Amino acid sequence: MTGTTTQHAAGESLVYVRSLGGHRQSYLDIFSPMFNLTPVSGSMTVTLVRRFVAADRLLFATLDESILGFLAIAAMRSMLGRPTVGVFLRPQTCFQTGRWYYPVKRYAFGILRRLPRLTIATITPFDVAPRYAEVAHVGVTDPQYWDLHNDDGSPTPARTELSDAVIAKAAGRKILCLLGSLSADKGLAFLADTLERYPSVADDILVVGA
């Protein structure tokens, strides 16, 4: 992994995440070889900002981690005619009303998407969420799903002790799996409320959170 203090040459092509937790390492693993980019992680220091502005190509794999830094760097690179791409994980917050800054965020990204040489991609296709076109240029399938299909069809995951236990618990029911960090803003509260209101759902579906 290329750190923020590593020496670098001019004309770099970089992909950046601030931290490596959750899905971020996976994004680096996908984007780096796919687009021939050098992976970089770490806090947004002055040295790193200069490196990003000077890079030939720059991809923010999760722009949500450093929104202000992304805004500033994208604007500077646009003026210099250098291409920048940002992956927007939580565009839905631009359309929520729970916080005072949500409308400001929507307005800012509405302006930002007009910058030349900038591409903002959401991880939800626009045909699923048409409003996201107001704050981004393109909607794509979450990169972590890109390996689900190939020319030979969907791969079959290996069986594990846990998967066998889940299948046994389901006893023929469909299985709904929620993987990763689970929180109210990711819909966990909605799901819990739905199951409480309609307990008969459990007759047909086993819900697994991991």
Side-chain angles (χ1 to χ4, degrees):
M1 182 62 62
T2 302
T4 58
T5 59
T6 302
Q7 294 296 321
H8 58 278
E12 290 183 304
S13 295
L14 307 173
V15 54
Y16 170 70
V17 295
R18 183 173 181 177
S19 63
L20 298 176
H23 49 76
R24 298 169 186 85
Q25 181 66 64
S26 175
Y27 280 6
L28 287 184
D29 293 342
I30 292 169
F31 290 136
S32 180
M34 180 177 291
F35 300 120
N36 193 26
L37 303 172
T38 300
V40 179
S41 64
S43 299
M44 186 72 73
T45 63
V46 173
T47 299
L48 200 55
V49 169
R50 290 175 178 170
R51 185 178 179 187
F52 287 164
V53 172
D56 280 352
R57 297 184 298 149
L58 176 62
L59 167 59
F60 278 75
T62 54
L63 69 83
D64 307 68
E65 292 183 300
S66 309
I67 288 183
L68 293 180
F70 173 75
L71 294 174
I73 291 169
M76 288 187 283
R77 289 178 56 81
S78 178
M79 290 187 289
L80 294 171
R82 294 169 181 159
T84 308
V85 177
V87 179
F88 202 176
L89 272 61
R90 294 185 291 275
Q92 69 273 14
T93 58
C94 293
F95 304 96
Q96 294 175 352
T97 58
R99 304 288 178 86
W100 65 268
Y101 53 81
Y102 287 159
V104 175
K105 186 176 180 181
R106 176 183 175 185
Y107 180 75
F109 274 91
I111 294 176
L112 188 68
R113 68 183 301 279
R114 300 176 187 175
L115 289 178
R117 308 289 287 170
L118 173 65
T119 301
I120 300 173
T122 67
I123 60 171
T124 303
F126 288 168
D127 58 352
V128 176
R131 296 191 71 183
Y132 290 178
E134 299 176 27
V135 296
H137 301 91
V138 62
V140 300
T141 303
D142 189 330
Q144 288 193 298
Y145 296 148
W146 288 0
D147 62 349
L148 286 182
H149 300 279
N150 52 42
D151 294 337
D152 300 322
S154 300
T156 301
R159 289 177 52 179
T160 67
E161 183 178 347
L162 177 59
S163 70
D164 287 344
V166 170
I167 291 172
K169 180 72 173 179
R173 293 175 292 171
K174 294 181 179 179
I175 301 171
L176 172 61
C177 267
L178 298 86
L179 304 178
S181 62
L182 305 178
S183 58
D185 64 344
K186 291 185 178 181
L188 186 61
F190 172 77
L191 176 61
D193 182 65
T194 299
L195 294 175
E196 184 176 5
R197 289 172 177 266
Y198 306 100
S200 60
V201 170
D203 295 337
D204 303 308
I205 300 174
L206 172 66
V207 179
V208 179

